[in-house]
Amino acid sequence: MHPRWKTALRCLPLGLLALVLWREKPWTVRLSGSAPWAVTASILLNLAVFLPLKAARWRLALSDPPPFRQVLAATIEGLLANAAIGFGSGDLVRAARLRQHQGQLAADYACTWAERGAEVLALALLVFIAALVTHLGTPALALSGLAVASYFAVLGGGRFLLPRLVRWPRVQRALSAGLQASTPRRVAAMAALSLLGWGCELVMLVLFQAAFHLEPSFQMALLTLVGINAAIVIPAVPGNFGTFEAGATMALVMCGAPRDVAVLYALTYHLSHVIPVALIATAVYGSRRYIATPARTATGR
């Protein structure tokens, strides 16, 4: 396929989002008086709880992990790359920024895939729970089972290939690091941290319901959470704009929310996560870049 067509297809969700915003005109929706507090509380929960849990989950997958602060900083920088570039760049950037000049990029990047695999298992469990609670039906249950089966198929394929990669030692070492991070104990711990982080996100979603004059509902929050994660499971445009809003809006409308309210809810919730993290990540990147090159700054070289 021609590169221009690929770019056009990847940017299609963003174009559809613009069309939906133009049609629904969500800026005409009136918010409740608690909206500023709900947004502020959501931002604080994201920064103080959700992001540290995400960094802790990745640290579990790493071989000989560095200090937590270093992992957290690299995680935040990866989120900045995802917001600015998209297409899965966040995982590569956080692996590259974690241990610069130590030759660990391939192994650390493989560990991010192990972490993503554990996240897929956790998402399958989340979909299974949501299917039972919200009566999504057999297709959701089947999708959950398919995700679990696919994970174990990929894991088995990796173990099959590992001894056959002796001609490519770097690839073999990277795959070995990913498999070492995929032991049952580590996967269970990473999946538990994923579920704990999503539990925090359920609180944020319920806070937003009150801000948009929606009746607080755990069931609506759970379905919205599933819709968001299912929509962004495949990295696409920068910041997942378009796909994120599509997943959240569809879930909210299914639960009875008006379309214009659902669109504004989804967009505001997304921006409350992206903008503060991007600002903090920019500061983190600048400070780490300065600290990493003090000699060059002092000598002028």
Side-chain angles (χ1 to χ4, degrees):
M1 184 181 292
H2 195 279
R4 291 184 179 179
W5 283 106
K6 288 183 179 180
T7 302
L9 288 174
R10 287 171 175 172
C11 294
L12 180 61
L14 195 59
L16 292 175
L17 173 62
L19 178 62
V20 170
L21 290 174
W22 177 75
R23 289 189 58 185
E24 298 299 332
K25 297 178 175 55
W27 50 84
T28 61
V29 174
R30 297 184 62 181
L31 304 179
S32 72
S34 64
W37 298 105
V39 173
T40 301
S42 179
I43 291 172
L44 292 176
L45 279 172
N46 185 42
L47 296 177
V49 181
F50 185 78
L51 290 184
L53 285 173
K54 184 178 178 68
R57 186 182 67 195
W58 184 32
R59 192 172 186 270
L60 281 174
L62 294 168
S63 302
D64 191 20
F68 176 76
R69 289 178 60 184
Q70 190 173 336
V71 179
L72 179 60
T75 300
I76 293 174
E77 289 176 324
L79 292 173
L80 176 62
N82 185 60
I85 305 170
F87 308 111
S89 59
D91 288 344
L92 181 59
V93 168
R94 63 172 166 151
R97 295 287 295 170
L98 180 63
R99 290 185 267 212
Q100 302 176 61
H101 315 299
Q102 295 184 27
Q104 291 284 331
L105 173 58
D108 290 343
Y109 186 54
C111 289
T112 67
W113 282 93
E115 179 210 357
R116 291 299 186 188
E119 189 178 25
V120 167
L121 282 182
L123 180 58
L125 179 58
L126 183 68
V127 171
F128 181 80
I129 294 171
L132 296 179
V133 172
T134 63
H135 308 291
L136 290 178
T138 304
L141 294 174
L143 185 62
S144 175
L146 179 61
V148 174
S150 299
Y151 170 78
F152 285 109
V154 171
L155 196 62
R159 289 172 177 162
F160 175 79
L161 287 175
L162 184 62
R164 293 165 175 79
L165 295 174
V166 290
R167 293 185 178 181
W168 301 277
R170 291 185 179 179
V171 177
Q172 189 179 48
R173 284 196 298 270
L175 180 58
S176 177
L179 291 174
Q180 288 174 13
S182 300
T183 61
R185 185 175 180 179
R186 283 187 174 184
V187 169
M190 288 187 285
L193 285 176
S194 295
L195 294 172
L196 188 59
W198 289 332
C200 172
E201 193 164 4
L202 283 174
V203 175
M204 293 186 263
L205 290 165
V206 171
L207 287 172
F208 262 70
Q209 290 172 6
F212 286 82
H213 298 289
L214 297 173
E215 189 70 25
S217 166
F218 171 79
Q219 182 173 327
M220 179 185 287
L222 180 60
L223 193 59
T224 305
L225 180 63
V226 170
I228 291 171
N229 282 279
I232 66 173
V233 69
I234 299 176
V237 296
N240 293 309
F241 281 101
T243 51
F244 185 105
E245 285 75 14
T249 300
M250 186 179 299
L252 289 165
V253 171
M254 285 176 61
C255 292
R259 285 194 303 176
D260 55 347
V261 172
V263 170
L264 184 60
Y265 178 112
L267 184 59
T268 306
Y269 183 76
H270 195 183
L271 290 175
S272 72
H273 282 60
V274 172
I275 294 176
V277 172
L279 292 174
I280 292 174
T282 302
V284 169
Y285 174 78
S287 63
R288 293 187 76 205
R289 184 170 178 268
Y290 176 80
I291 293 171
T293 57
R296 293 182 62 185
T297 304
T299 60
R301 293 182 180 180

